[in-house]
Amino acid sequence: MSQAAPILTLTDICKSFGPIEVLHDVSFDLRPGEIHALAGENGAGKSTLINIIGGVHAPSSGEIRLRGKAITIASPLDAQDNGISLVHQEIALCPDVTIAENVLMSEIARSRAWFVNYGKIRRRAATILSKLTSLSPDMRLGSLSISNQQLVEICRALSQDCEILILDEPTAALTQSETEALFRLLRELRDQGVAIIYISHRMSEIYKLCDRITVLRDGRRISTDNVADVTPDEVVQKLIGRKLEALYPPKSRSPDGPVLMQVSGLSDGKKVHDVSFTLRRGEVLGIAGLIGSGRSELLHAICGLKARASGRVTLADGADFSPQRYSDAVRKGVVCLSEDRKIDGVFLNLSIAQNTSSMRISQVSTRYGFVNRHLEHQQAETLGRRLNIRAASVQQRVFELSGGNQQKVAFARLLSVAPRIILLDEPTRGIDVGAKAEIHQLLRQLAEDGIGVIVVSSELSEVLGLCDRVLVLSENRVSGILQGDDLTEENLVRLAAGRARGNSNRKEAHHD
Amino acid sequence: MTDDSATKAKDTAPTGGLLFQLKRLLRIREGMLLLILAALFVAMSFASEYFLTWGNMRAVLLSFSTEGIVVVGMTILIIVGGIDLSVGATMCLAMVVAGKLFLMGMNPWLASVMGVFATGFAGFVMGLFVTRVGLGFFITSLAFFGLLRGMSFIITEGTPLSLYSMPAEFKYIGQGTFYGVPVVIIIFFVVAILGDILLRRASAFRKIIYVGSNENAANYAGIDVRKVRLWTTVLCSSLAGFAGIMFMARLGVATPTFGIGAELNIIAAAVIGGASLNGGKGSVLGAILGIALLSLVTSSMILLDISIFWQDTIRSLILLAAVSIDHLVNKHR
């Protein structure tokens, strides 16, 4: 454990946005050669704190000392000049230009030369990229998958020879192997004396990677400890300020209920091939697999968001279920929660009530077709209580809520049509531990109430902890179904990677 | 989960094959426009013997050269994520200001510089409303559309300013030829080539693309987004003003009604040329090919004796077709 003098010290930082104070007297120090985890639920103030360090926001009060000298960090450019690099949680890259230009954008921006030296930019970008990935610097960024864009985002931060590197949930979209490559690189940088702040919701990552951990809650610093000195349970307790009964609700008591949905030989001609499974009453069915294995596409092919090429889906009564479009599926009680909350899940600039009524506005309308505000609010309040949505009122607009509460609004919207089957794509991505546990509880409750629940998740612990049975996809086909004692991390990883490994040579040759 | 070859494979573009190369050419907007222009050339040279004459080519080039200068500015502004509905009125303002100052006894060159300066300033004020007040480009430029046109009427008191007394060397930039090529065309090519090279290679102009492509990314890269937007607006207005001066030298008159409706043609050309109104996408070369196509179609219609009343309809259909094809080709990428 390095005990060098801190490179960065924040003292009594406060920050308010309008009347809302989001940071209160937060003190924080960072030493060269350490990886310092910053943990906290959504809304705890992590992002605000790192945005202050990164020059995006200015603190309302408090002192920032860098290498012992008090400074103000006025802009992102200013932060870069002070050796501070920030990897944002949300991908902020230009889709219309090459990877190389994205990686070295700040260098181009501040260049004194009249013309961009593309040869040099290309070579430098290639060097930086090679540390993490085999991507070519000449590709247009917009053509990359999310996980590769995330890698470019990280490379962009590495392009400056920074002394302080801040990463905000960098692994959210990465595969296991990419995550491991990133960890190797971060350890290497640490050993070279770089000070790293690492934000993650994943406890296992913090324990694998970090030296110290600072916990924030409600805008205040709760603690700073050596990671070796605290247990994960203690950290979780500090995060949420109370004891979690258990991280996941108990599994189904009646796993062999009647069939709710039967999928046989479903294909979409591209990303889903010959998938068959049954969904039973009372269970939570998981769908696991690597990014690109066809998980989301499978959900979309079931509920009419994507056209099917072949295959058959039947519902509980044996009736054929082949929606031409999503609205058909909704009418029959099959609803889907999309992966990206901000884009597809909720209307950010509408109120909670307007969101919850939006899926079937006729439910809250008079017979002349006008919306009945009273009914609309009543519906939102009922669903809000059921889901424990924390908001000032149902008229509050959704963008003002925390991520976890936004996700609950998205859920409320689905539940407003009293669905028989709900398909969920990454239902807890990017939301905090507390809200996550609540959503898991809710899913279990829905399953027990007889609603079919299918969950796609990239998070191993969620798949293992929440689901009764798990369908594993590999290269767009089913590679196995796990349940009971077979539902282990080893089996999941083996099935998810198995086919891909065996066929990788043929696959690559095909693309040459 | 150790293997992600499937993900990687998706990000590797396949290469090779003549058909594939053709498809790739079609995907690049400039390639598609070149093919369409070539087809039009072949078809028209059979349809009319007059089409492939230097006289006709010169007339076509002349017809879009001056407006083409505004297209360069508009394309760059659209790339940064903006739009300017007032460029027609801006052209007019420059010519009216310069004409009025000339008639008041000012040297015509200095008067022209003042005219361009006036439009640059108008662009600056418009840019301030966008970047400092936080209004949208669309509504701000709609207001300026009326504002600048109104100023032209105020300055001229509603009547055209006759400028036949301008010295010959000034008229030369609008009416003269250099080795048989009209000076207007030469100036246009200089502006267009310069614009294209700068946008592809110059550090300052790359910032425009970054800001238009993703404002956040640009901000995090230490680019002053507001400053880039402001000066791009000034550039577009100044180029429109410059074009206005060229028209003045060519026509020998400054009319307060000049350039009404020009903005539609100019924006259409930029969009046909591949500029995306969402920003980040587009090229000067494409936009020039776009206005060339529009002008060539107009001239072909005249040669084929198609009624002039069809012009707007056909031009708009081309715009719709270009945008639709682009959308359909790129949808399944």
Side-chain angles (χ1 to χ4, degrees):
Chain A
M1 187 61 42
S2 97
Q3 287 296 344
I7 180 168
L8 178 75
T9 318
L10 306 186
T11 316
D12 297 338
I13 297 288
C14 296
K15 174 70 185 174
S16 304
F17 292 109
I20 305 156
E21 192 180 51
V22 288
L23 285 181
H24 183 81
D25 282 345
V26 172
S27 298
F28 178 81
D29 71 287
L30 183 67
R31 300 173 191 147
E34 75 163 342
I35 303 180
H36 195 135
L38 193 57
E41 301 193 84
N42 273 16
K46 295 171 311 216
S47 294
T48 312
L49 187 66
I50 60 163
N51 277 329
I52 285 174
I53 301 172
V56 180
H57 299 318
S60 307
S61 66
E63 190 191 53
I64 304 175
R65 285 181 170 271
L66 188 67
R67 297 177 203 92
K69 262 189 286 184
I71 59 159
T72 47
I73 306 169
S75 67
L77 188 66
D78 206 12
Q80 283 166 23
D81 289 339
N82 281 301
I84 301 170
S85 277
L86 183 49
V87 179
H88 292 270
Q89 183 184 1
E90 323 254 313
I91 289 168
L93 297 167
C94 294
D96 302 300
V97 299
T98 60
I99 295 179
E101 279 192 83
N102 270 291
V103 169
L104 292 166
M105 192 171 292
S106 59
E107 196 169 299
I108 296 170
R110 69 169 83 183
S111 152
R112 298 217 160 266
W114 271 64
F115 289 95
V116 179
N117 184 340
Y118 282 106
K120 192 175 132 207
I121 293 285
R122 206 188 156 279
R123 279 192 301 278
R124 283 213 40 206
T127 315
I128 299 163
L129 286 165
S130 66
K131 292 179 190 168
L132 271 181
T133 156
S134 56
L135 290 173
S136 148
D138 299 324
M139 288 165 71
R140 204 174 56 89
L141 186 100
S143 66
L144 301 186
S145 66
I146 298 291
S147 92
N148 282 332
Q149 291 192 16
Q150 183 78 58
L151 290 174
V152 173
E153 179 86 50
I154 295 166
C155 289
R156 177 159 120 154
L158 298 174
S159 74
Q160 299 123 31
D161 294 320
C162 56
E163 288 175 68
I164 297 175
L165 177 62
I166 307 168
L167 302 109
D168 192 353
E169 292 206 51
T171 58
L174 298 189
T175 63
Q176 205 91 0
S177 62
E178 288 165 342
T179 301
E180 274 154 24
L182 174 66
F183 283 7
R184 272 195 300 279
L185 181 66
L186 291 181
R187 290 193 189 101
E188 211 173 281
L189 290 171
R190 169 184 65 189
D191 296 341
Q192 290 163 16
V194 176
I196 298 170
I197 301 177
Y198 188 88
I199 295 183
S200 177
H201 276 118
R202 301 178 184 175
M203 212 54 72
S204 62
E205 290 188 350
I206 292 175
Y207 275 83
K208 225 188 260 176
L209 186 69
C210 301
D211 304 308
R212 285 198 299 163
I213 176 167
T214 291
V215 176
L216 295 180
R217 189 174 75 228
D218 300 329
R220 290 158 202 271
R221 190 188 69 157
I222 301 302
S223 65
T224 299
D225 299 289
N226 290 326
V227 169
D229 299 341
V230 286
T231 67
D233 284 347
E234 285 167 352
V235 173
V236 171
Q237 235 180 83
K238 288 174 177 172
L239 280 172
I240 58 174
R242 62 194 147 86
K243 247 196 167 96
L244 263 193
E245 291 309 309
L247 231 41
Y248 291 96
K251 301 235 172 168
S252 169
R253 279 168 303 213
S254 51
D256 293 318
V259 173
L260 284 181
M261 182 162 73
Q262 174 91 46
V263 174
S264 17
L266 190 65
S267 304
D268 73 348
K270 288 192 198 97
K271 301 287 282 180
V272 180
H273 287 295
D274 195 22
V275 172
S276 304
F277 65 90
T278 46
L279 172 68
R280 291 177 183 280
R281 190 186 157 101
E283 71 173 353
V284 175
L285 177 70
I287 297 178
L290 298 173
I291 289 179
S293 59
R295 301 169 307 184
S296 307
E297 290 82 357
L298 172 58
L299 294 191
H300 294 169
I302 291 174
C303 69
L305 282 167
K306 208 165 185 238
R308 294 178 196 163
S310 61
R312 192 173 139 84
V313 180
T314 52
L315 296 181
D317 43 12
D320 185 63
F321 175 68
S322 34
Q324 291 305 303
R325 53 191 70 83
Y326 182 52
S327 55
D328 291 349
V330 173
R331 214 170 302 124
K332 292 195 170 155
V334 179
V335 295
C336 179
L337 183 72
S338 71
E339 185 174 12
D340 196 326
R341 176 173 70 237
K342 292 211 167 117
I343 295 172
D344 307 321
V346 289
F347 302 111
L348 283 174
N349 52 359
L350 296 185
S351 72
I352 296 174
Q354 285 168 325
N355 266 283
T356 49
S357 67
S358 60
M359 252 178 119
R360 195 169 287 164
I361 194 98
S362 58
Q363 283 180 337
V364 296
S365 301
T366 64
R367 63 197 149 116
Y368 303 112
F370 291 97
V371 174
N372 180 333
R373 281 284 181 82
H374 178 69
L375 276 181
E376 189 177 52
H377 287 179
Q378 218 171 30
Q379 179 192 45
E381 272 156 20
T382 312
L383 287 165
R385 264 196 303 277
R386 181 165 168 204
L387 296 176
N388 194 17
I389 296 174
R390 278 181 286 268
S393 86
V394 294
Q395 299 187 53
Q396 199 173 358
R397 293 204 280 172
V398 170
F399 71 81
E400 295 170 0
L401 305 179
S402 70
N405 279 309
Q406 287 183 3
Q407 189 70 337
K408 287 186 200 165
V409 172
F411 266 96
R413 205 158 76 103
L414 295 185
L415 296 182
S416 73
V417 300
R420 295 154 74 190
I421 292 170
I422 57 177
L423 314 173
L424 305 158
D425 201 351
E426 305 284 1
T428 62
R429 172 179 287 178
I431 68 176
D432 59 72
V433 186
K436 209 167 179 169
E438 282 181 85
I439 284 177
H440 290 150
Q441 207 75 49
L442 172 75
L443 293 180
R444 180 51 67 193
Q445 187 58 48
L446 292 174
E448 274 168 20
D449 293 348
I451 297 173
V453 180
I454 300 182
V455 178
V456 164
S457 175
S458 306
E459 213 174 313
L460 271 178
S461 64
E462 182 170 73
V463 172
L464 296 170
L466 176 70
C467 303
D468 301 304
R469 279 195 312 144
V470 177
L471 179 81
V472 189
L473 294 180
S474 170
E475 290 208 353
N476 314 322
R477 290 168 194 276
V478 178
S479 58
I481 296 181
L482 297 170
Q483 61 182 319
D485 293 339
D486 291 336
L487 186 48
T488 63
E489 186 167 340
E490 291 76 12
N491 284 343
L492 261 181
V493 171
R494 183 177 50 77
L495 284 176
R499 277 188 64 90
R501 200 176 277 146
N503 288 335
S504 58
N505 291 337
R506 183 181 58 78
K507 185 99 183 158
E508 269 154 23
H510 178 73
H511 273 277
D512 271 339
Chain B
M1 310 199 179
T2 50
D3 197 314
D4 39 48
S5 62
T7 326
K8 289 291 186 292
K10 204 179 81 189
D11 289 340
T12 316
T15 49
L18 190 67
L19 194 69
F20 174 77
Q21 294 296 342
L22 188 71
K23 269 189 185 161
R24 211 174 65 169
L25 186 66
L26 281 175
R27 270 193 186 160
I28 303 169
R29 182 60 73 90
E30 291 90 335
M32 188 178 80
L33 284 170
L34 275 173
L35 284 179
I36 293 174
L37 278 170
L40 193 61
F41 253 86
V42 172
M44 277 308 294
S45 46
F46 282 111
S48 162
E49 55 185 25
Y50 179 66
F51 181 79
L52 262 188
T53 59
W54 167 235
N56 187 47
M57 285 303 112
R58 186 183 132 129
V60 171
L61 278 172
L62 257 181
S63 74
F64 71 79
S65 279
T66 318
E67 228 171 53
I69 293 173
V70 193
V71 171
V72 174
M74 181 66 77
T75 305
I76 297 174
L77 184 61
I78 289 178
I79 290 173
V80 89
I83 193 156
D84 185 354
L85 302 177
S86 71
V87 283
T90 309
M91 284 197 285
C92 179
L93 182 71
M95 87 171 23
V96 164
V97 166
K100 185 77 179 176
L101 288 173
F102 169 71
L103 291 180
M104 285 163 70
M106 193 183 270
N107 170 303
W109 300 100
L110 185 58
S112 300
V113 171
M114 295 305 287
V116 174
F117 187 78
T119 55
F121 182 72
F124 185 77
V125 176
M126 189 162 84
L128 285 183
F129 272 100
V130 171
T131 57
R132 298 288 148 169
V133 182
L135 306 181
F137 271 101
F138 190 89
I139 199 65
T140 312
S141 67
L142 187 64
F144 270 70
F145 169 89
L147 200 70
L148 302 184
R149 178 70 63 192
M151 281 163 85
S152 297
F153 277 114
I154 294 169
I155 292 170
T156 57
E157 291 171 337
T159 47
L161 307 175
S162 174
L163 304 170
Y164 288 113
S165 53
M166 282 189 305
E169 67 268 22
F170 184 77
K171 285 182 188 161
Y172 179 77
I173 65 163
Q175 299 166 5
T177 56
F178 186 76
Y179 289 106
V181 184
V183 177
V184 173
I185 295 176
I186 296 172
I187 291 178
F188 161 68
F189 272 109
V190 170
V191 171
I193 291 169
L194 206 63
D196 195 71
I197 292 176
L198 285 176
L199 200 57
R200 283 178 207 276
R201 304 224 146 243
S203 317
F205 282 73
R206 292 310 286 178
K207 289 188 199 175
I208 292 173
I209 295 177
Y210 303 153
V211 168
S213 184
N214 185 344
E215 195 179 330
N216 273 337
N219 186 33
Y220 292 149
I223 294 168
D224 188 338
V225 172
R226 293 198 292 189
K227 197 168 122 189
V228 170
R229 287 231 165 92
L230 177 63
W231 288 107
T232 310
T233 314
V234 173
L235 176 70
C236 177
S237 294
S238 305
L239 281 173
F242 180 63
I245 298 296
M246 302 273 300
F247 269 120
M248 181 181 78
R250 187 163 141 204
L251 305 173
V253 65
T255 325
T257 52
F258 179 80
I260 288 177
E263 56 280 342
L264 291 181
N265 211 29
I266 289 163
I267 293 169
V271 172
I272 289 171
S276 159
L277 291 180
N278 297 325
K281 242 185 244 147
S283 79
V284 169
L285 176 63
I288 295 309
L289 292 173
I291 195 148
L293 178 65
L294 288 177
S295 303
L296 210 58
V297 168
T298 306
S299 108
S300 305
M301 279 161 54
I302 294 168
L303 287 181
L304 295 176
D305 267 341
I306 298 174
S307 158
I308 193 83
F309 300 124
W310 280 88
Q311 269 196 32
D312 280 346
T313 311
I314 299 220
R315 205 181 288 167
S316 307
L317 287 176
I318 293 173
L319 176 65
L320 270 180
V323 179
S324 305
I325 290 169
D326 183 58
H327 183 74
L328 294 175
V329 169
N330 289 316
K331 201 163 87 175
H332 300 295
R333 267 212 240 186

